[in-house]
Amino acid sequence: MQRKYTILSILLVVLALGLVILPKKTNKTETDPKVLLSALAEKSRFLTTDLVSKRIIENDPTLLLIDLRPADQFKAFALPGAINIQPESILSDSNSELLKQLGKDIVLYANSDLASEKAWLLCARYVNYSRLYIMKGGLNEWYNTIVMGTDVAATASSAEFDLVNFRKAARQYFTGAGQTTEKTATEKTPVKITVVRKAPKSSSGGGC
Amino acid sequence: MKTIKNDGSFYLNPYLGGVLLGVVLMLSFYLSGRGLGASGAVKNTVAATVNTVAPKHVENSAYYSQFAGGDKKPLNNWLIYEVLGVLAGALFSGILFNRLNFKVEHSPKITSRRRLIFALAGGLVFGFGSQLARGCTSGAALSGMAVLSLGGYITMVAIFGTAFVVAWILRKNWI
Amino acid sequence: MIGPLIQSGFIPQAWDNIIAVFLGAAFGFALESSGFSSSRKIIGTFFGYDFVVVKVFFTAAITASIGLLYLDYLGLVNFSLLYIQPTFMTSAIVGGIIMGIGFSMGGFCPGTSLCAAAIGRIDGMVFFGGMFIGVFLFSESFPFWEKMYYSGSQGPKMINDALGISAQLFTLFLVIVAVGMFYGAAWVQRKVKKVEY
């Protein structure tokens, strides 16, 4: 009886010792170009400005906005809660720590898509592809859709009406403008925007 | 190999049981990316109940609103399904090893009534603590230890350390 | 097949809850068959007549740790996708102390009380019922605890980072400590008067 346990104990210690002795894996493994290419072709990494606005308004705790524009532009205006990171320094230690945060959907944006696309490629090795997004069209698009807003033709579908109503409500949220009766209208017909979220919120269960 | 007495007194070798539990825990992380738990299911059930009775209250509460209210479905949760599985698995084991019967297990020196009162109070205190520590022995301590979480180890030491002291204070209840 | 399989999309999300039932069943079976459905067996750890809790608990923890680290080494699991309990220092300690008191009073922890309830132990059912009241009381009085609940936040911190050693080295120490504890437990059990239960 005792002998059996001695053997088992030794086995356990040897297994654990094996872990210590095994050579350390290098952290920065080369990413397979094919994988990267197929990830690039995947369009789900784009989030629409409407979706991002909706999540900002809802105070979604899993949203992490990263502003890639120069600091002076960031100071002048940024989306609420965004963090300003320069594209050059996005791979620095403290920033990659930020990217590795669990349970966050990281959304990159700049003025257009160009800087975000570059940064997306650089970050892709640190962050799970399915949690790394680009706000489609950047702040220009955001300005056009949310701040400017568009009127809709009377023949438009109800989905389009909902969208326009949502944008009006969002505009009011972000700029404080356009306080009319639209708000009550949006409350009556809640906007249904399907949230495309590939990875589940690992933070959801909350432990035990 | 000696034959197993099937009178309900047979238990697995604790080390075999431990390895089995460890493998299940590892599989849980490998498949679902999370550890096992129990108290989270209680939390969600309570939140769901309160949500049905007083939805306004849930909206206003800083705690409930984290996981109930709005379009959140606290009952359609991984942990709830897992806990249903636990019941089924334990029942299966109970049938297999012939331990299935209704009784109050207590030390011969105390009455059933005293045992049940202490069980109720213990459950109440445990439930309270598990919310504060964000998990119980399985969710916070065991699953936390498996992924080497600092919080898991601290919770484990705090639970067992305190339980040791309190067990001696309450030893008349047990031995 | 890089795990966790659900998060990385190898298994469709819809399977998550079905897998949960099976994992739970295996969990329940392991607990019950090791004797965690008996409060007197569990509490024996603290009086030295039955160390089943220590044995099962630590064997499980080191098996899972070693297993996960090997899977990580083989590149089969993406550690960053695993749910690591965030560390909140104050609430972990205070909550742990409160749970310790409940543990010794009730003789169960939530998972084991479920197992006991499943095989008809009335004390297990009562304990589980008590938990609902406890959770309810906590939730209702949450504003009172809110500050403590969020204080001492350190994020999902790993213990080996806190100690400044590698995860592998920490696991080795853990295994050595655990094996030492198993032998210690066997020694104490020989010394202590046997309690019939």
Side-chain angles (χ1 to χ4, degrees):
Chain A
M1 209 55 177
Q2 271 300 328
R3 209 180 131 92
K4 188 170 76 184
Y5 288 135
T6 316
I7 295 169
L8 281 176
S9 312
I10 292 169
L11 182 70
L12 264 178
V13 175
V14 168
L15 271 176
L17 203 63
L19 279 174
V20 179
I21 293 170
L22 281 171
K24 292 281 165 294
K25 275 190 311 177
T26 43
N27 254 343
K28 288 173 186 161
T29 45
E30 203 174 330
T31 315
D32 185 358
K34 276 182 199 150
V35 175
L36 209 55
L37 264 179
S38 69
L40 258 180
E42 178 75 46
K43 288 300 171 206
S44 65
R45 72 202 146 102
F46 290 112
L47 295 184
T48 63
T49 50
D50 297 309
L51 193 55
V52 175
S53 309
K54 185 171 156 59
R55 291 178 69 176
I56 294 174
I57 294 170
E58 286 177 345
N59 261 331
D60 189 334
T62 59
L63 181 70
L64 177 62
L65 283 166
I66 291 185
D67 190 320
L68 298 162
R69 298 170 307 148
D72 53 328
Q73 288 184 27
F74 177 78
K75 266 196 201 115
F77 174 78
L79 294 182
I83 297 168
N84 189 211
I85 294 178
Q86 300 308 315
E88 307 86 70
S89 63
I90 199 155
L91 292 185
S92 74
D93 280 350
S94 58
N95 286 339
S96 56
E97 278 301 311
L98 191 74
L99 294 176
K100 276 188 263 181
Q101 278 190 76
L102 288 165
K104 294 259 186 194
D105 288 341
I106 293 162
V107 180
L108 306 168
Y109 75 89
N111 282 325
S112 69
D113 278 347
L114 199 66
S116 330
E117 288 272 20
K118 276 190 201 160
W120 191 91
L121 263 180
L122 284 175
C123 296
R125 59 157 48 151
Y126 285 106
V127 189
N128 179 14
Y129 294 114
S130 59
R131 310 220 75 163
L132 186 61
Y133 300 97
I134 294 171
M135 186 168 87
K136 178 84 180 136
L139 272 184
N140 287 333
E141 177 73 11
W142 189 81
Y143 186 79
N144 285 337
T145 51
I146 305 293
V147 181
M148 292 303 284
T150 43
D151 269 328
V152 70
T155 52
S157 68
S158 67
E160 279 175 60
F161 269 115
D162 283 346
L163 184 60
V164 168
N165 275 338
F166 167 73
R167 284 180 180 170
K168 280 180 181 161
R171 177 159 79 238
Q172 195 186 337
Y173 176 87
F174 287 111
T175 63
Q179 296 192 3
T180 41
T181 49
E182 283 97 327
K183 189 163 189 272
T184 44
T186 31
E187 272 175 353
K188 269 176 205 157
T189 50
V191 191
K192 284 204 181 72
I193 297 180
T194 42
V195 181
V196 192
R197 215 179 273 169
K198 278 170 86 184
K201 282 189 286 181
S202 51
S203 58
S204 59
C208 187
Chain B
M1 193 177 165
K2 63 176 192 254
T3 48
I4 293 169
K5 267 198 302 174
N6 208 357
D7 59 351
S9 65
F10 174 78
Y11 292 108
L12 283 189
N13 179 305
Y15 299 109
L16 180 61
V19 170
L20 189 63
L21 193 57
V23 170
V24 173
L25 189 56
M26 197 175 87
L27 267 180
S28 172
F29 276 110
Y30 183 60
L31 294 172
S32 289
R34 56 195 298 168
L36 301 158
S39 67
V42 177
K43 175 183 81 179
N44 282 21
T45 315
V46 169
T49 316
V50 176
N51 194 26
T52 339
V53 178
K56 265 276 166 287
H57 181 57
V58 168
E59 296 287 333
N60 297 333
S61 157
Y63 195 63
Y64 289 130
S65 56
Q66 289 173 25
F67 36 80
D71 51 359
K72 298 192 191 80
K73 295 192 189 69
L75 281 185
N76 187 14
N77 181 286
W78 195 90
L79 281 165
I80 300 273
Y81 291 101
E82 190 242 40
V83 158
L84 292 177
V86 170
L87 280 173
L91 184 65
F92 175 68
S93 165
I95 295 169
L96 191 65
F97 300 118
N98 204 10
R99 267 195 288 275
L100 208 59
N101 55 346
F102 279 98
K103 68 170 183 188
V104 180
E105 203 184 274
H106 60 86
S107 158
K109 289 173 198 156
I110 62 169
T111 60
S112 298
R113 195 184 140 81
R114 186 181 160 90
R115 168 75 188 114
L116 288 182
I117 290 170
F118 267 91
L120 185 72
L124 196 156
V125 174
F126 212 121
F128 192 96
S130 71
Q131 294 313 298
L132 191 55
R134 294 173 174 76
C136 59
T137 2
S138 22
L142 185 59
S143 303
M145 282 170 74
V147 286
L148 307 180
S149 144
L150 177 63
Y153 277 88
I154 289 170
T155 312
M156 187 271 294
V157 171
I159 293 178
F160 282 101
T162 318
F164 225 111
V165 177
V166 179
W168 274 100
I169 299 170
L170 297 174
R171 64 184 171 280
K172 292 232 164 58
N173 277 343
W174 298 107
I175 50 172
Chain C
M1 298 263 281
I2 299 167
L5 297 185
I6 301 268
Q7 268 80 350
S8 23
F10 282 102
I11 298 179
Q13 185 67 36
W15 281 91
D16 204 14
N17 289 336
I18 299 165
I19 289 173
V21 174
F22 284 104
L23 284 172
F27 182 42
F29 182 84
L31 285 179
E32 211 288 330
S33 58
S34 311
F36 275 32
S37 58
S38 156
S39 57
R40 300 199 65 212
K41 211 167 158 62
I42 293 173
I43 218 78
T45 300
F46 304 120
F47 301 110
Y49 62 79
D50 195 328
F51 281 103
V52 67
V53 171
V54 172
K55 290 172 186 167
V56 173
F57 195 87
F58 278 89
T59 317
I62 55 183
T63 311
S65 292
I66 294 178
L68 281 173
L69 285 174
Y70 269 107
L71 285 179
D72 182 44
Y73 177 77
L74 297 171
L76 287 175
V77 72
N78 184 351
F79 234 84
S80 67
L81 283 184
L82 301 184
Y83 177 78
I84 294 176
Q85 183 93 351
T87 302
F88 289 82
M89 217 37 122
T90 327
S91 66
I93 295 173
V94 178
I97 289 174
I98 296 175
M99 279 193 275
I101 297 171
F103 195 2
S104 283
M105 283 166 77
F108 286 118
C109 63
T112 57
S113 75
L114 262 175
C115 293
I119 61 158
R121 298 291 175 273
I122 296 157
D123 42 342
M125 298 174 198
V126 169
F127 184 95
F128 201 68
M131 277 181 52
F132 283 88
I133 307 174
V135 172
F136 180 71
L137 287 180
F138 177 83
S139 313
E140 290 302 321
S141 59
F142 182 65
F144 196 65
W145 314 105
E146 195 166 1
K147 218 173 151 209
M148 190 200 281
Y149 188 74
Y150 290 113
S151 70
S153 169
Q154 308 203 358
K157 196 173 189 181
M158 312 258 286
I159 188 166
N160 54 288
D161 290 335
L163 298 174
I165 54 176
S166 76
Q168 288 79 3
L169 194 61
F170 177 80
T171 310
L172 177 64
F173 286 137
L174 182 69
V175 168
I176 292 171
V177 169
V179 168
M181 253 160 52
F182 296 154
Y183 277 98
W187 182 78
V188 172
Q189 211 165 340
R190 276 200 302 276
K191 297 264 167 193
V192 169
K193 181 171 64 111
K194 191 95 182 77
V195 174
E196 274 306 318
Y197 58 93

